[in-house]
Amino acid sequence: MPEHLSTDKVMRKFLLGLVCCFLSSIFLIGMFACGDNQVNSGKQSIVVTYSVLGAIVKDLVGDQANVKIAIPNGLNLHEWEPSARVIETINKADLVIQNGLGLEDGLQKTLDQAQARGVKFFTISDYIDVRHVGIGEGIPSDDPDQAVGAADPHLWLDPITIASFIHDLANYLKIHLGLDVEEQAQDLQNRLESLDQQIRDNVATLSVSQRKLVTGHESLGYFAQRYEFKLVGAVIPSLSDQASVSAANMASLKQSILDNQVTTIFTELGTSAAVVSQIGAETSAKVVQLSTHTLSDDGSYFTFMQGLSDTIINSLKSDGTVTPPKNNAPMDIFITPFSSNDFMKQALIAGILVSIACAVAGTFVILRGMAFIGDALSHGVLPGIALSILLGVPGILGAAAGAICMIGGVTLITQRSRLSSDTAIGLLFIGMLSLGVVIVSRSNSFSSDLTHILFGEILGTSNSSIIMQMIATAIICITAFICARPFLLLSFDPEQAQVAGFSAKLYHNIMLFMIASTIIVSFQTVGTLLVFGLLIAPAGAGALLARRIRSMIAWAIVFGLVSVYSGLLLSYHFDLAAGASIILVTTTLFFITFIVQNIRSHSRIPAAEHHD
């Protein structure tokens, strides 16, 4: 008993020490923060939302005020979320300068709250001639950002548009902050006009037939309008990079590239590299990386625009050949999308392999009641994938590391505490998911990849991904075949499994390995979020129709194959996101099966009563 009391005292002292350390850390951080504010309090504070616009403001203001950038250079404006320090900086600013036109999506709530509190705002788009999407530009889409008449927020890609608000900003600074920058404003406008002339001279070296642009998303509208380029299309047919790529978009873009003899596709921040590579391979057009949203290392707008225009012009100058359009067979809504488009064929093959793997693993997930661990694993691999991309290693390695951490953590907490496995899974699930989002949101290299990680890139599936999926599917099927009996005993009667000579712990871990392997490999095709749907829905529908394990797996494979094929057709014919369409079909099939089975069950009962 005394030993027990002594242990409690030690634990209390330990916890008290942790609390004291935590409070001390908060105090020190507060002191340093206050110190930073005191150092910067001598000059007025101007916050600019976007790095490229911030470069212009810094050139205008010089050292007369402290100019801070809210969204770090190179991050995705639509997905980035502000930290507490950024929110504080905005709310304490003497002036906030924003682009407007919906560009600062991730920051908009903070900006609105700061403006409501009385912070002064200068919205650049209020002082320029806003460009609107014209008829025939890009790919037809229901996306409101792409609709004819939509306001284009990419105003910084035209030096003359930038020059048009400089004197208005200078007047605003003088009236509201007392800063006299008129001389700098005139000098800056002259430099911008000189930059415009340099770009014009370079563009003049291109023939009219060479001035055709295909981009990641609709970002070069101002540039094209100023320098008389034709906008042929975009991989993501939207002014925002948040829209999904559909099979219909890709087919239409492919045909536009071929019809217009486009030799270069420009990819940029937020564009799926896999999808762009696939279109380039099918059209023989080269793919060139373009920095439309990221300042160069010297932080200069002039270096940024000169480098951007030089990349575009030099890429279009080089000779290239484009495969002429093929004469397709008469339109067949069920066959032609796959027979005339390699990206559809490869998506179908990859989807079939994923369906088989998910059907086999998902059947045992359903029988064992492990849907929660399947969901947790599909989200828990996110931080591993994020770190692998950050370090430049294959995402599949990071996914494997994330799954190992997830399974190891659940096992450790369950064995070393009184907490249930569900509690451990829930804690690690939310913790790993949050860690992954934090890593993605704070990395300047791939913040836009979050959508690709979660929803996959089935339309950009490569041959190497198909081979890897084929190997993984074979391993999963072989594992399930060899371990079928112990898996069944473990699912229905773990004690009987022990009596039969099978280690419940060993085969439980093998089953976890099989589920994790399915998720790890399949995320590249349908994403971590959507793989769970293929893992559960087809197997669940199979469980409603069959009583034997082989029949359940067979039905699950059939439902998975129908879902992949139908989902891709829906994406092609109705301009829908491919991955989401597949999952929508598979969940719909499950509920149809569920309803039919219930109707049949109810109809049998009256028949049996009548017979009696």
Side-chain angles (χ1 to χ4, degrees), residues 133-148 218 231-238 243-244 246-256 571-576:
V133 174
I135 298 174
E137 291 180 357
I139 304 170
S141 170
D142 292 332
D143 191 316
D145 285 335
Q146 174 60 17
V148 173
E218 297 287 355
L231 296 173
V232 172
V235 177
I236 303 175
S238 167
S244 298
S246 71
N249 292 341
M250 288 187 64
S252 176
L253 178 59
K254 172 186 170 183
Q255 196 60 47
S256 294
S571 176
Y572 184 89
H573 292 299
F574 297 98
D575 194 16
L576 304 175

Side-chain angles (χ1 to χ4, degrees), residues 207-214 230 232-233 252-265 282-286 315-326:
S207 66
V208 174
S209 62
Q210 290 176 309
R211 299 182 195 180
K212 297 173 183 178
L213 295 174
V214 173
K230 177 182 179 181
V232 172
S252 176
L253 178 59
K254 172 186 170 183
Q255 196 60 47
S256 294
I257 291 172
L258 294 172
D259 290 344
N260 287 275
Q261 292 291 291
V262 174
T263 60
T264 305
I265 301 172
E282 291 198 36
T283 60
S284 299
K286 63 184 177 183
S315 298
L316 295 177
K317 270 184 184 178
S318 58
D319 294 330
T321 57
V322 177
T323 305
K326 298 177 181 179

Side-chain angles (χ1 to χ4, degrees), residues 17 34 148 168 185 221 240 397 577:
C34 291
V148 173
D168 291 309
S240 162
L397 297 180

Side-chain angles (χ1 to χ4, degrees), residues 103-291:
L103 183 76
E104 298 95 344
D105 283 353
L107 194 59
Q108 198 57 56
K109 184 177 179 181
T110 298
L111 296 175
D112 292 341
Q113 290 174 343
Q115 195 163 17
R117 291 190 180 101
V119 177
K120 296 182 180 67
F121 270 72
F122 181 92
T123 302
I124 293 174
S125 56
D126 292 342
Y127 297 87
I128 68 163
D129 183 11
V130 176
R131 173 191 174 271
H132 294 83
V133 174
I135 298 174
E137 291 180 357
I139 304 170
S141 170
D142 292 332
D143 191 316
D145 285 335
Q146 174 60 17
V148 173
D152 188 345
H154 302 90
L155 54 89
W156 63 89
L157 294 173
D158 172 19
I160 297 302
T161 297
I162 290 291
S164 66
F165 73 82
I166 294 300
H167 284 288
D168 291 309
L169 178 56
N171 291 334
Y172 192 96
L173 292 172
K174 185 172 185 179
I175 294 171
H176 295 279
L177 300 188
L179 302 179
D180 187 0
V181 293
E182 193 55 47
E183 185 176 339
Q184 294 95 313
Q186 187 58 53
D187 177 66
L188 183 56
Q189 183 168 3
N190 292 339
R191 291 172 61 199
L192 288 167
E193 291 173 354
S194 176
L195 173 64
D196 169 67
Q197 190 57 52
Q198 291 177 30
I199 296 175
R200 284 184 181 279
D201 292 342
N202 288 337
V203 170
T205 62
L206 291 174
S207 66
V208 174
S209 62
Q210 290 176 309
R211 299 182 195 180
K212 297 173 183 178
L213 295 174
V214 173
T215 55
H217 67 281
E218 297 287 355
S219 61
L220 289 177
Y222 284 92
F223 182 90
Q225 181 175 275
R226 181 64 59 189
Y227 302 111
E228 299 178 346
F229 282 79
K230 177 182 179 181
L231 296 173
V232 172
V235 177
I236 303 175
S238 167
L239 293 170
S240 162
D241 60 16
Q242 299 303 288
S244 298
V245 179
S246 71
N249 292 341
M250 288 187 64
S252 176
L253 178 59
K254 172 186 170 183
Q255 196 60 47
S256 294
I257 291 172
L258 294 172
D259 290 344
N260 287 275
Q261 292 291 291
V262 174
T263 60
T264 305
I265 301 172
F266 295 102
T267 184
E268 55 198 317
L269 180 72
T271 308
S272 166
V275 170
V276 174
S277 298
Q278 189 65 39
I279 296 176
E282 291 198 36
T283 60
S284 299
K286 63 184 177 183
V287 176
V288 175
Q289 182 70 38
L290 206 59
S291 294

Side-chain angles (χ1 to χ4, degrees), residues 402-525:
I404 291 171
C405 290
M406 189 76 189
I407 294 173
V410 170
T411 303
L412 181 65
I413 293 173
T414 304
Q415 292 179 350
R416 299 295 181 88
S417 72
R418 292 176 294 177
L419 297 175
S420 67
S421 59
D422 281 352
T423 303
I425 292 169
L427 287 169
L428 284 168
F429 163 60
I430 196 65
M432 294 285 278
L433 180 60
S434 300
L435 177 60
V437 172
V438 167
I439 294 172
V440 169
S441 67
R442 291 300 158 196
S443 168
N444 60 4
S445 60
F446 65 99
S447 65
S448 58
D449 282 347
L450 180 59
T451 302
H452 306 150
I453 293 171
L454 293 176
F455 296 97
E457 300 173 319
I458 192 168
L459 295 176
T461 304
S462 63
N463 290 327
S464 60
S465 295
I466 290 175
I467 293 171
M468 187 177 297
Q469 183 69 56
M470 190 180 300
I471 295 170
T473 300
I475 293 172
I476 290 164
C477 291
I478 293 170
T479 302
F481 178 77
I482 294 173
C483 301
R485 186 162 178 260
F487 280 178
L488 279 174
L489 290 173
L490 193 63
S491 300
F492 296 107
D493 193 348
E495 293 182 2
Q496 185 62 35
Q498 289 288 151
V499 172
F502 300 113
S503 169
K505 182 178 180 181
L506 172 63
Y507 284 98
H508 173 75
N509 288 332
I510 293 175
M511 189 179 293
L512 283 179
F513 165 78
M514 185 175 70
I515 297 167
S517 299
T518 303
I519 292 169
I520 289 167
V521 179
S522 301
F523 93 87
Q524 296 182 102
T525 304

Side-chain angles (χ1 to χ4, degrees), residues 28 33 57 68 97 206 234 381 480 514 526 541 592:
L28 290 173
V57 175
K68 301 176 182 179
I97 300 175
L206 291 174
V381 297
M514 185 175 70
V526 293
I592 290 174

Side-chain angles (χ1 to χ4, degrees), residues 350-360 534 538 556-557 559-561 563-564:
I352 288 171
L353 293 171
V354 169
S355 296
I356 295 171
C358 287
V360 173
L534 278 177
I557 291 174
F559 281 123
L561 297 181
S563 298
V564 169

